[in-house]
mmCIF file of all heavy atoms in Angstrom:
data_model
loop_
_atom_site.group_PDB
_atom_site.id
_atom_site.type_symbol
_atom_site.label_atom_id
_atom_site.label_comp_id
_atom_site.label_asym_id
_atom_site.label_seq_id
_atom_site.Cartn_x
_atom_site.Cartn_y
_atom_site.Cartn_z
ATOM 1 N N GLU A 30 18.158 0.843 -25.362
ATOM 2 C CA GLU A 30 19.358 1.136 -26.205
ATOM 3 C C GLU A 30 20.508 0.543 -25.332
ATOM 4 O O GLU A 30 20.521 0.640 -24.130
ATOM 5 C CB GLU A 30 19.594 2.629 -26.380
ATOM 6 C CG GLU A 30 18.485 3.289 -27.262
ATOM 7 C CD GLU A 30 18.671 4.762 -27.417
ATOM 8 O OE1 GLU A 30 19.692 5.318 -26.832
ATOM 9 O OE2 GLU A 30 17.862 5.431 -28.088
ATOM 10 N N CYS A 31 21.459 -0.087 -26.058
ATOM 11 C CA CYS A 31 22.499 -0.876 -25.352
ATOM 12 C C CYS A 31 23.918 -0.484 -25.692
ATOM 13 O O CYS A 31 24.197 -0.214 -26.893
ATOM 14 C CB CYS A 31 22.277 -2.393 -25.725
ATOM 15 S SG CYS A 31 20.617 -3.004 -25.363
ATOM 16 N N GLY A 32 24.773 -0.483 -24.705
ATOM 17 C CA GLY A 32 26.183 -0.386 -25.029
ATOM 18 C C GLY A 32 26.723 -1.675 -25.643
ATOM 19 O O GLY A 32 27.600 -1.578 -26.515
ATOM 20 N N LEU A 33 26.188 -2.842 -25.309
ATOM 21 C CA LEU A 33 26.507 -4.142 -25.952
ATOM 22 C C LEU A 33 25.193 -4.769 -26.317
ATOM 23 O O LEU A 33 24.348 -5.060 -25.484
ATOM 24 C CB LEU A 33 27.286 -5.021 -24.947
ATOM 25 C CG LEU A 33 27.526 -6.472 -25.420
ATOM 26 C CD1 LEU A 33 28.389 -6.508 -26.721
ATOM 27 C CD2 LEU A 33 28.136 -7.287 -24.275
ATOM 28 N N VAL A 34 25.049 -5.092 -27.580
ATOM 29 C CA VAL A 34 23.810 -5.732 -28.125
ATOM 30 C C VAL A 34 24.037 -7.194 -28.225
ATOM 31 O O VAL A 34 25.028 -7.708 -28.820
ATOM 32 C CB VAL A 34 23.427 -5.093 -29.478
ATOM 33 C CG1 VAL A 34 22.232 -5.862 -30.105
ATOM 34 C CG2 VAL A 34 23.130 -3.617 -29.363
ATOM 35 N N ILE A 35 23.107 -7.969 -27.634
ATOM 36 C CA ILE A 35 23.082 -9.383 -27.813
ATOM 37 C C ILE A 35 21.598 -9.768 -28.166
ATOM 38 O O ILE A 35 20.739 -9.722 -27.350
ATOM 39 C CB ILE A 35 23.486 -10.182 -26.510
ATOM 40 C CG1 ILE A 35 24.934 -9.819 -26.140
ATOM 41 C CG2 ILE A 35 23.380 -11.678 -26.747
ATOM 42 C CD1 ILE A 35 25.392 -10.497 -24.872
ATOM 43 N N GLY A 36 21.461 -10.097 -29.462
ATOM 44 C CA GLY A 36 20.097 -10.435 -29.917
ATOM 45 C C GLY A 36 19.189 -9.172 -29.870
ATOM 46 O O GLY A 36 19.535 -8.101 -30.387
ATOM 47 N N ASN A 37 18.103 -9.363 -29.169
ATOM 48 C CA ASN A 37 17.135 -8.218 -29.016
ATOM 49 C C ASN A 37 17.183 -7.580 -27.675
ATOM 50 O O ASN A 37 16.236 -6.927 -27.257
ATOM 51 C CB ASN A 37 15.715 -8.734 -29.298
ATOM 52 C CG ASN A 37 14.747 -7.607 -29.790
ATOM 53 O OD1 ASN A 37 15.191 -6.509 -30.136
ATOM 54 N ND2 ASN A 37 13.480 -7.897 -29.877
ATOM 55 N N THR A 38 18.300 -7.751 -26.965
ATOM 56 C CA THR A 38 18.431 -7.230 -25.606
ATOM 57 C C THR A 38 19.883 -6.707 -25.470
ATOM 58 O O THR A 38 20.720 -6.767 -26.363
ATOM 59 C CB THR A 38 18.014 -8.194 -24.511
ATOM 60 O OG1 THR A 38 18.006 -7.523 -23.283
ATOM 61 C CG2 THR A 38 18.988 -9.349 -24.458
ATOM 62 N N CYS A 39 20.197 -6.287 -24.284
ATOM 63 C CA CYS A 39 21.528 -5.825 -23.975
ATOM 64 C C CYS A 39 22.374 -6.916 -23.393
ATOM 65 O O CYS A 39 21.862 -7.958 -22.958
ATOM 66 C CB CYS A 39 21.467 -4.634 -22.974
ATOM 67 S SG CYS A 39 20.543 -3.180 -23.546
ATOM 68 N N GLY A 40 23.679 -6.645 -23.256
ATOM 69 C CA GLY A 40 24.578 -7.646 -22.710
ATOM 70 C C GLY A 40 25.574 -7.063 -21.717
ATOM 71 O O GLY A 40 25.761 -5.881 -21.673
ATOM 72 N N LEU A 41 26.136 -7.994 -20.944
ATOM 73 C CA LEU A 41 27.220 -7.634 -20.011
ATOM 74 C C LEU A 41 28.489 -8.283 -20.462
ATOM 75 O O LEU A 41 28.461 -9.406 -21.042
ATOM 76 C CB LEU A 41 26.826 -8.103 -18.582
ATOM 77 C CG LEU A 41 25.523 -7.577 -18.013
ATOM 78 C CD1 LEU A 41 25.328 -8.201 -16.619
ATOM 79 C CD2 LEU A 41 25.422 -6.097 -17.963
ATOM 80 N N ARG A 42 29.674 -7.672 -20.135
ATOM 81 C CA ARG A 42 30.952 -8.165 -20.639
ATOM 82 C C ARG A 42 31.955 -8.033 -19.441
ATOM 83 O O ARG A 42 31.937 -7.046 -18.706
ATOM 84 C CB ARG A 42 31.438 -7.389 -21.830
ATOM 85 C CG ARG A 42 32.795 -7.828 -22.300
ATOM 86 C CD ARG A 42 33.365 -6.878 -23.380
ATOM 87 N NE ARG A 42 32.618 -6.925 -24.651
ATOM 88 C CZ ARG A 42 31.978 -5.904 -25.193
ATOM 89 N NH1 ARG A 42 31.922 -4.814 -24.537
ATOM 90 N NH2 ARG A 42 31.371 -6.013 -26.331
ATOM 91 N N ASN A 43 32.867 -9.042 -19.317
ATOM 92 C CA ASN A 43 33.927 -8.952 -18.344
ATOM 93 C C ASN A 43 35.212 -8.470 -19.018
ATOM 94 O O ASN A 43 35.214 -8.289 -20.255
ATOM 95 C CB ASN A 43 34.150 -10.266 -17.595
ATOM 96 C CG ASN A 43 34.636 -11.378 -18.457
ATOM 97 O OD1 ASN A 43 34.939 -11.185 -19.639
ATOM 98 N ND2 ASN A 43 34.691 -12.547 -17.926
ATOM 99 N N GLY A 44 36.281 -8.379 -18.225
ATOM 100 C CA GLY A 44 37.511 -7.824 -18.789
ATOM 101 C C GLY A 44 38.146 -8.741 -19.824
ATOM 102 O O GLY A 44 38.990 -8.321 -20.619
ATOM 103 N N GLU A 45 37.793 -10.047 -19.790
ATOM 104 C CA GLU A 45 38.346 -10.973 -20.774
ATOM 105 C C GLU A 45 37.523 -11.084 -22.028
ATOM 106 O O GLU A 45 37.836 -11.883 -22.897
ATOM 107 C CB GLU A 45 38.510 -12.353 -20.119
ATOM 108 C CG GLU A 45 39.417 -12.338 -18.898
ATOM 109 C CD GLU A 45 39.467 -13.700 -18.216
ATOM 110 O OE1 GLU A 45 39.003 -14.682 -18.833
ATOM 111 O OE2 GLU A 45 39.948 -13.759 -17.065
ATOM 112 N N GLY A 46 36.422 -10.331 -22.087
ATOM 113 C CA GLY A 46 35.623 -10.316 -23.308
ATOM 114 C C GLY A 46 34.442 -11.302 -23.284
ATOM 115 O O GLY A 46 33.762 -11.450 -24.324
ATOM 116 N N ASP A 47 34.290 -12.032 -22.207
ATOM 117 C CA ASP A 47 33.098 -12.966 -22.082
ATOM 118 C C ASP A 47 31.835 -12.146 -22.008
ATOM 119 O O ASP A 47 31.780 -11.119 -21.281
ATOM 120 C CB ASP A 47 33.282 -13.852 -20.901
ATOM 121 C CG ASP A 47 34.562 -14.722 -20.905
ATOM 122 O OD1 ASP A 47 34.843 -15.246 -22.003
ATOM 123 O OD2 ASP A 47 35.221 -14.813 -19.847
ATOM 124 N N GLN A 48 30.809 -12.598 -22.654
ATOM 125 C CA GLN A 48 29.529 -11.850 -22.734
ATOM 126 C C GLN A 48 28.372 -12.711 -22.255
ATOM 127 O O GLN A 48 28.329 -13.953 -22.485
ATOM 128 C CB GLN A 48 29.304 -11.383 -24.151
ATOM 129 C CG GLN A 48 30.358 -10.538 -24.716
ATOM 130 C CD GLN A 48 30.105 -10.119 -26.171
ATOM 131 O OE1 GLN A 48 29.097 -10.586 -26.782
ATOM 132 N NE2 GLN A 48 31.015 -9.391 -26.766
ATOM 133 N N VAL A 49 27.383 -12.038 -21.622
ATOM 134 C CA VAL A 49 26.144 -12.720 -21.212
ATOM 135 C C VAL A 49 24.998 -11.771 -21.515
ATOM 136 O O VAL A 49 25.132 -10.563 -21.327
ATOM 137 C CB VAL A 49 26.082 -13.137 -19.774
ATOM 138 C CG1 VAL A 49 27.113 -14.269 -19.486
ATOM 139 C CG2 VAL A 49 26.354 -12.014 -18.819
ATOM 140 N N PRO A 50 23.810 -12.297 -21.968
ATOM 141 C CA PRO A 50 22.684 -11.387 -22.158
ATOM 142 C C PRO A 50 22.073 -11.007 -20.827
ATOM 143 O O PRO A 50 22.051 -11.710 -19.862
ATOM 144 C CB PRO A 50 21.701 -12.254 -23.012
ATOM 145 C CG PRO A 50 22.072 -13.676 -22.694
ATOM 146 C CD PRO A 50 23.588 -13.657 -22.376
ATOM 147 N N LEU A 51 21.527 -9.802 -20.800
ATOM 148 C CA LEU A 51 20.843 -9.227 -19.643
ATOM 149 C C LEU A 51 19.365 -9.065 -19.996
ATOM 150 O O LEU A 51 19.042 -8.340 -20.995
ATOM 151 C CB LEU A 51 21.448 -7.911 -19.257
ATOM 152 C CG LEU A 51 20.761 -7.126 -18.139
ATOM 153 C CD1 LEU A 51 20.962 -7.904 -16.799
ATOM 154 C CD2 LEU A 51 21.319 -5.710 -17.984
ATOM 155 N N GLN A 52 18.458 -9.652 -19.208
ATOM 156 C CA GLN A 52 17.051 -9.525 -19.440
ATOM 157 C C GLN A 52 16.510 -8.331 -18.661
ATOM 158 O O GLN A 52 16.768 -8.195 -17.473
ATOM 159 C CB GLN A 52 16.291 -10.742 -19.038
ATOM 160 C CG GLN A 52 16.849 -12.031 -19.629
ATOM 161 C CD GLN A 52 16.932 -12.019 -21.185
ATOM 162 O OE1 GLN A 52 16.028 -11.469 -21.807
ATOM 163 N NE2 GLN A 52 17.990 -12.637 -21.727
ATOM 164 N N VAL A 53 15.824 -7.447 -19.363
ATOM 165 C CA VAL A 53 15.263 -6.246 -18.749
ATOM 166 C C VAL A 53 13.756 -6.298 -18.916
ATOM 167 O O VAL A 53 13.242 -6.565 -19.984
ATOM 168 C CB VAL A 53 15.794 -4.961 -19.344
ATOM 169 C CG1 VAL A 53 15.357 -3.726 -18.565
ATOM 170 C CG2 VAL A 53 17.384 -4.992 -19.305
ATOM 171 N N ALA A 54 13.001 -5.966 -17.864
ATOM 172 C CA ALA A 54 11.539 -5.906 -17.888
ATOM 173 C C ALA A 54 11.070 -4.748 -17.102
ATOM 174 O O ALA A 54 11.850 -4.091 -16.329
ATOM 175 C CB ALA A 54 10.949 -7.201 -17.373
ATOM 176 N N VAL A 55 9.791 -4.426 -17.301
ATOM 177 C CA VAL A 55 9.224 -3.230 -16.582
ATOM 178 C C VAL A 55 7.805 -3.581 -16.087
ATOM 179 O O VAL A 55 7.051 -4.363 -16.638
ATOM 180 C CB VAL A 55 9.138 -2.031 -17.549
ATOM 181 C CG1 VAL A 55 8.151 -2.271 -18.733
ATOM 182 C CG2 VAL A 55 8.709 -0.762 -16.798
ATOM 183 N N THR A 56 7.535 -3.066 -14.868
ATOM 184 C CA THR A 56 6.220 -3.095 -14.316
ATOM 185 C C THR A 56 5.767 -1.667 -14.105
ATOM 186 O O THR A 56 6.494 -0.827 -13.440
ATOM 187 C CB THR A 56 6.214 -3.814 -12.899
ATOM 188 O OG1 THR A 56 6.529 -5.196 -13.136
ATOM 189 C CG2 THR A 56 4.839 -3.731 -12.268
ATOM 190 N N LEU A 57 4.605 -1.349 -14.622
ATOM 191 C CA LEU A 57 4.119 0.030 -14.618
ATOM 192 C C LEU A 57 2.982 0.111 -13.619
ATOM 193 O O LEU A 57 2.221 -0.860 -13.357
ATOM 194 C CB LEU A 57 3.603 0.493 -15.963
ATOM 195 C CG LEU A 57 4.696 0.627 -17.014
ATOM 196 C CD1 LEU A 57 4.120 0.934 -18.409
ATOM 197 C CD2 LEU A 57 5.747 1.729 -16.662
ATOM 198 N N PRO A 58 2.734 1.286 -13.058
ATOM 199 C CA PRO A 58 1.643 1.419 -12.041
ATOM 200 C C PRO A 58 0.222 1.328 -12.690
ATOM 201 O O PRO A 58 0.068 1.424 -13.900
ATOM 202 C CB PRO A 58 1.869 2.839 -11.507
ATOM 203 C CG PRO A 58 2.602 3.578 -12.539
ATOM 204 C CD PRO A 58 3.482 2.559 -13.265
ATOM 205 N N PHE A 59 -0.752 1.099 -11.817
ATOM 206 C CA PHE A 59 -2.118 1.001 -12.225
ATOM 207 C C PHE A 59 -2.517 2.216 -12.954
ATOM 208 O O PHE A 59 -2.212 3.366 -12.606
ATOM 209 C CB PHE A 59 -3.001 0.837 -10.978
ATOM 210 C CG PHE A 59 -4.448 0.819 -11.286
ATOM 211 C CD1 PHE A 59 -5.063 -0.310 -11.809
ATOM 212 C CD2 PHE A 59 -5.270 1.966 -11.076
ATOM 213 C CE1 PHE A 59 -6.438 -0.294 -12.082
ATOM 214 C CE2 PHE A 59 -6.583 1.966 -11.380
ATOM 215 C CZ PHE A 59 -7.203 0.778 -11.860
ATOM 216 N N GLY A 60 -3.189 2.004 -14.103
ATOM 217 C CA GLY A 60 -3.612 3.129 -14.946
ATOM 218 C C GLY A 60 -2.810 3.286 -16.253
ATOM 219 O O GLY A 60 -3.285 3.969 -17.155
ATOM 220 N N LEU A 61 -1.686 2.531 -16.332
ATOM 221 C CA LEU A 61 -0.930 2.523 -17.554
ATOM 222 C C LEU A 61 -0.964 1.138 -18.140
ATOM 223 O O LEU A 61 -0.322 0.211 -17.675
ATOM 224 C CB LEU A 61 0.513 2.930 -17.271
ATOM 225 C CG LEU A 61 0.752 4.316 -16.690
ATOM 226 C CD1 LEU A 61 2.200 4.591 -16.415
ATOM 227 C CD2 LEU A 61 0.167 5.400 -17.662
ATOM 228 N N ASN A 62 -1.740 0.953 -19.208
ATOM 229 C CA ASN A 62 -2.017 -0.338 -19.826
ATOM 230 C C ASN A 62 -1.385 -0.393 -21.230
ATOM 231 O O ASN A 62 -1.145 0.655 -21.822
ATOM 232 C CB ASN A 62 -3.475 -0.648 -19.892
ATOM 233 C CG ASN A 62 -4.102 -0.867 -18.513
ATOM 234 O OD1 ASN A 62 -3.429 -0.719 -17.448
ATOM 235 N ND2 ASN A 62 -5.345 -1.170 -18.448
ATOM 236 N N ASP A 63 -1.326 -1.584 -21.763
ATOM 237 C CA ASP A 63 -0.791 -1.711 -23.113
ATOM 238 C C ASP A 63 -1.916 -1.558 -24.111
ATOM 239 O O ASP A 63 -3.063 -1.166 -23.812
ATOM 240 C CB ASP A 63 -0.063 -3.078 -23.342
ATOM 241 C CG ASP A 63 -1.044 -4.293 -23.248
ATOM 242 O OD1 ASP A 63 -2.258 -4.090 -23.258
ATOM 243 O OD2 ASP A 63 -0.547 -5.408 -23.234
ATOM 244 N N GLN A 64 -1.607 -1.703 -25.394
ATOM 245 C CA GLN A 64 -2.535 -1.423 -26.497
ATOM 246 C C GLN A 64 -3.760 -2.402 -26.445
ATOM 247 O O GLN A 64 -4.779 -2.122 -27.090
ATOM 248 C CB GLN A 64 -1.871 -1.573 -27.843
ATOM 249 C CG GLN A 64 -1.211 -2.887 -28.111
ATOM 250 C CD GLN A 64 -0.440 -2.893 -29.410
ATOM 251 O OE1 GLN A 64 -0.895 -2.283 -30.388
ATOM 252 N NE2 GLN A 64 0.735 -3.532 -29.381
ATOM 253 N N TYR A 65 -3.662 -3.509 -25.693
ATOM 254 C CA TYR A 65 -4.740 -4.448 -25.570
ATOM 255 C C TYR A 65 -5.425 -4.263 -24.231
ATOM 256 O O TYR A 65 -6.223 -5.177 -23.830
ATOM 257 C CB TYR A 65 -4.238 -5.907 -25.720
ATOM 258 C CG TYR A 65 -3.466 -6.103 -27.000
ATOM 259 C CD1 TYR A 65 -2.146 -6.254 -26.999
ATOM 260 C CD2 TYR A 65 -4.166 -6.146 -28.262
ATOM 261 C CE1 TYR A 65 -1.428 -6.504 -28.174
ATOM 262 C CE2 TYR A 65 -3.466 -6.275 -29.429
ATOM 263 C CZ TYR A 65 -2.099 -6.478 -29.413
ATOM 264 O OH TYR A 65 -1.365 -6.660 -30.577
ATOM 265 N N ASP A 66 -5.159 -3.140 -23.565
ATOM 266 C CA ASP A 66 -5.776 -2.830 -22.288
ATOM 267 C C ASP A 66 -5.357 -3.756 -21.211
ATOM 268 O O ASP A 66 -6.116 -3.917 -20.258
ATOM 269 C CB ASP A 66 -7.310 -2.689 -22.398
ATOM 270 C CG ASP A 66 -7.917 -1.815 -21.313
ATOM 271 O OD1 ASP A 66 -7.227 -0.983 -20.837
ATOM 272 O OD2 ASP A 66 -9.084 -2.067 -20.957
ATOM 273 N N GLN A 67 -4.217 -4.388 -21.351
ATOM 274 C CA GLN A 67 -3.687 -5.304 -20.294
ATOM 275 C C GLN A 67 -2.728 -4.562 -19.394
ATOM 276 O O GLN A 67 -2.038 -3.657 -19.878
ATOM 277 C CB GLN A 67 -3.021 -6.493 -20.929
ATOM 278 C CG GLN A 67 -3.975 -7.374 -21.761
ATOM 279 C CD GLN A 67 -3.240 -8.501 -22.447
ATOM 280 O OE1 GLN A 67 -2.050 -8.416 -22.767
ATOM 281 N NE2 GLN A 67 -3.900 -9.617 -22.669
ATOM 282 N N VAL A 68 -2.622 -4.974 -18.131
ATOM 283 C CA VAL A 68 -1.660 -4.371 -17.227
ATOM 284 C C VAL A 68 -0.274 -4.723 -17.704
ATOM 285 O O VAL A 68 -0.039 -5.748 -18.332
ATOM 286 C CB VAL A 68 -1.906 -4.853 -15.780
ATOM 287 C CG1 VAL A 68 -3.290 -4.382 -15.330
ATOM 288 C CG2 VAL A 68 -1.751 -6.335 -15.633
ATOM 289 N N VAL A 69 0.642 -3.844 -17.338
ATOM 290 C CA VAL A 69 2.057 -4.054 -17.716
ATOM 291 C C VAL A 69 2.806 -4.538 -16.441
ATOM 292 O O VAL A 69 3.152 -3.734 -15.609
ATOM 293 C CB VAL A 69 2.656 -2.770 -18.276
ATOM 294 C CG1 VAL A 69 4.159 -3.020 -18.630
ATOM 295 C CG2 VAL A 69 1.914 -2.304 -19.482
ATOM 296 N N SER A 70 3.035 -5.827 -16.362
ATOM 297 C CA SER A 70 3.709 -6.426 -15.168
ATOM 298 C C SER A 70 4.843 -7.327 -15.661
ATOM 299 O O SER A 70 4.633 -8.304 -16.376
ATOM 300 C CB SER A 70 2.712 -7.248 -14.353
ATOM 301 O OG SER A 70 3.343 -7.817 -13.254
ATOM 302 N N LYS A 71 6.074 -6.954 -15.297
ATOM 303 C CA LYS A 71 7.287 -7.650 -15.695
ATOM 304 C C LYS A 71 7.271 -7.888 -17.202
ATOM 305 O O LYS A 71 7.613 -8.969 -17.650
ATOM 306 C CB LYS A 71 7.486 -8.926 -14.912
ATOM 307 C CG LYS A 71 7.670 -8.739 -13.444
ATOM 308 C CD LYS A 71 8.021 -10.027 -12.712
ATOM 309 C CE LYS A 71 8.335 -9.730 -11.183
ATOM 310 N NZ LYS A 71 8.617 -10.959 -10.450
ATOM 311 N N ARG A 72 6.908 -6.858 -17.936
ATOM 312 C CA ARG A 72 6.876 -6.981 -19.422
ATOM 313 C C ARG A 72 8.330 -6.830 -19.941
ATOM 314 O O ARG A 72 8.973 -5.755 -19.681
ATOM 315 C CB ARG A 72 5.962 -5.859 -19.959
ATOM 316 C CG ARG A 72 5.767 -5.859 -21.470
ATOM 317 C CD ARG A 72 4.944 -7.089 -21.917
ATOM 318 N NE ARG A 72 3.621 -7.087 -21.269
ATOM 319 C CZ ARG A 72 2.532 -6.394 -21.734
ATOM 320 N NH1 ARG A 72 2.626 -5.688 -22.810
ATOM 321 N NH2 ARG A 72 1.403 -6.499 -21.036
#
């Protein structure tokens, strides 16, 4: 969930209103896999 939405991710903004997208990813510990039984690394 984003304070500033840019596309399908969040964004950052400076005081002059310039915006850049922020990429967010997650790595989960061993034992937590996705629906295809793949590890979750920088997903």
Side-chain angles (χ1 to χ4, degrees):
E30 294 177 0
C31 304
L33 172 63
V34 175
I35 299 180
N37 203 11
T38 188
C39 299
L41 305 177
R42 178 191 290 118
N43 66 6
E45 300 176 12
D47 300 317
Q48 301 177 0
V49 293
L51 176 68
Q52 308 304 322
V53 184
V55 64
T56 294
L57 294 174
F59 175 78
L61 299 178
N62 292 4
D63 69 8
Q64 59 186 320
Y65 305 109
D66 203 27
Q67 297 176 332
V68 298
V69 178
S70 178
K71 295 187 176 180
R72 183 71 57 87

